[in-house]
Amino acid sequence: MWKKWLITLAFTVSFSVKDLGGLSYFDLVGNEANELLTNNFSDEDEESQVERENSNPSEKENKNQQIPNTAKENDVAEKKEAEEQVRKEDKETKEKSTQDQDKKEDKEKGVKMPEDKAGFDEYPKGQFAVEGAQGETVKTDTGTFVIEKQWTNLSKVYVGPMTIKIKNINIVSGDVTDSAISGISGEKVKFVQVDAILQNTSKEPIGFPFAAATLHIGSKNLFAHDMFSGMTNVNFDTQIPRNTTLVYMLDDPTLNISEVTLKLAKLPVNKKTKEEMGKRTSINVSL
């Protein structure tokens, strides 16, 4: 306010004093008044801006937060990306740990791992598997067995990308002599042995639980025995063929079998798309 008073006084005096050396005092005082007026307006603008920011703090905060908010968004995006990478690494670590644990348990149990023989995965057939012709007596570490009936070289079956070649189906009976086999050591047993060659013909990784196949004999519905069957693997990530041996134990050693039906309980699944492929198929054999 004092600046405005000085300006008014300057203009009042300038009207009463004249001419100093060719330059009027009015011009001199007027110039000074203009400077004071300009400075006053400039000061008033600054004061008004300060008052406006004080009266509206959100405007000031928005200016101050504009850059930090952008940085915060970048931090959130980077944090999410880092968390996703950690989850991916944890998943891979868990999968590897599970595989290593399975291998360790198999080694402790004396389970033989498959051998890669010139493009063929040779899987262990299991302790009850026998090899021979129909009518032949076969002695193994498990016992002495007779191959009562045998179906060989059955036609290939195609289920989606999977090819199933049944090499033979044996009806086997005999005496178990291995004392380490709890529950049936020293007893007569009868079982059906299915030997197959499985192959993924596609370039996609396929999951196929062939061991879930059920065996139907008359009214009986049998499942493959986990302990007595050979080693199985549901993952077919390559086109390399492999063998699989399934053993189905029979309750009645005197049962006469002339026909069996092998039914695939589950279809192949594309591991990438989770899509089931092919149609459910049954393999019927009879004498």
Side-chain angles (χ1 to χ4, degrees):
M1 294 301 294
W2 63 271
K3 291 182 180 179
K4 291 183 179 179
W5 180 80
L6 284 177
I7 294 168
T8 304
L9 180 60
F11 273 109
T12 304
V13 173
S14 65
F15 281 110
S16 60
V17 180
K18 290 287 182 177
D19 204 334
L20 271 177
L23 179 64
S24 69
Y25 186 70
F26 173 79
D27 293 333
L28 194 60
V29 175
N31 291 336
E32 293 180 359
N34 285 336
E35 291 181 7
L36 287 173
L37 184 61
T38 302
N39 292 335
N40 179 62
F41 288 157
S42 176
D43 291 341
E44 283 187 345
D45 289 342
E46 292 177 1
E47 291 173 359
S48 300
Q49 184 176 358
V50 171
E51 290 176 359
R52 192 164 56 248
E53 289 180 353
N54 290 335
S55 63
N56 188 10
S58 61
E59 181 179 349
K60 184 176 181 180
E61 290 176 0
N62 289 336
K63 290 181 180 179
N64 294 334
Q65 290 181 356
Q66 184 175 3
I67 295 177
N69 283 344
T70 302
K72 185 177 181 181
E73 290 175 359
N74 293 336
D75 290 343
V76 171
E78 292 176 359
K79 184 177 180 181
K80 287 184 178 179
E81 184 177 352
E83 289 176 351
E84 183 64 26
Q85 182 64 25
V86 170
R87 281 195 292 268
K88 182 178 178 181
E89 292 176 357
D90 287 345
K91 182 179 179 182
E92 293 176 352
T93 301
K94 288 179 181 179
E95 290 178 352
K96 186 177 185 303
S97 177
T98 300
Q99 293 174 357
D100 293 342
Q101 182 64 27
D102 291 342
K103 289 180 181 179
K104 181 180 178 180
E105 292 177 357
D106 288 340
K107 185 176 181 181
E108 291 175 351
K109 294 177 182 178
V111 177
K112 294 181 179 179
M113 298 304 292
E115 299 178 20
D116 187 0
K117 295 182 178 180
F120 185 88
D121 285 343
E122 186 79 29
Y123 274 56
K125 293 184 176 182
Q127 56 189 335
F128 273 83
V130 298
E131 296 182 10
Q134 181 171 314
E136 187 175 347
T137 299
V138 181
K139 289 186 177 182
T140 67
D141 293 337
T142 303
T144 302
F145 304 100
V146 177
I147 302 175
E148 296 181 358
K149 295 179 181 179
Q150 185 179 73
W151 293 270
T152 60
N153 296 322
L154 303 177
S155 299
K156 286 184 179 181
V157 176
Y158 301 92
V159 183
M162 295 299 303
T163 299
I164 305 170
K165 172 64 177 178
I166 304 297
K167 289 184 63 178
N168 55 262
I169 297 179
N170 296 333
I171 308 298
V172 183
S173 62
D175 299 317
V176 177
T177 58
D178 187 355
S179 59
I181 302 178
S182 177
I184 60 173
S185 178
E187 297 184 5
K188 291 184 178 296
V189 296
K190 192 167 188 174
F191 59 90
V192 179
Q193 174 184 330
V194 178
D195 291 309
I197 303 295
L198 310 176
Q199 184 178 15
N200 173 17
T201 60
S202 74
K203 294 182 180 180
E204 296 293 321
I206 301 297
F208 181 47
F210 177 70
T214 56
L215 189 70
H216 298 258
I217 303 175
S219 61
K220 294 181 179 295
N221 184 20
L222 306 176
F223 296 90
H225 199 288
D226 291 339
M227 290 181 60
F228 302 154
S229 295
M231 183 178 178
T232 61
N233 186 349
V234 300
N235 297 309
F236 293 83
D237 296 334
T238 69
Q239 295 178 315
I240 299 176
R242 74 175 64 141
N243 65 292
T244 297
T245 298
L246 302 180
V247 171
Y248 299 84
M249 303 300 293
L250 302 173
D251 295 333
D252 184 4
T254 64
L255 182 66
N256 184 33
I257 301 172
S258 59
E259 182 177 2
V260 298
T261 301
L262 186 68
K263 291 186 177 181
L264 301 181
K266 296 184 179 181
L267 294 174
V269 174
N270 185 312
K271 292 170 64 177
K272 289 183 178 179
T273 64
K274 309 302 180 183
E275 175 189 3
E276 287 190 337
M277 309 177 75
K279 296 180 180 181
R280 299 190 185 280
T281 305
S282 297
I283 303 171
N284 300 295
V285 293
S286 60
L287 288 176

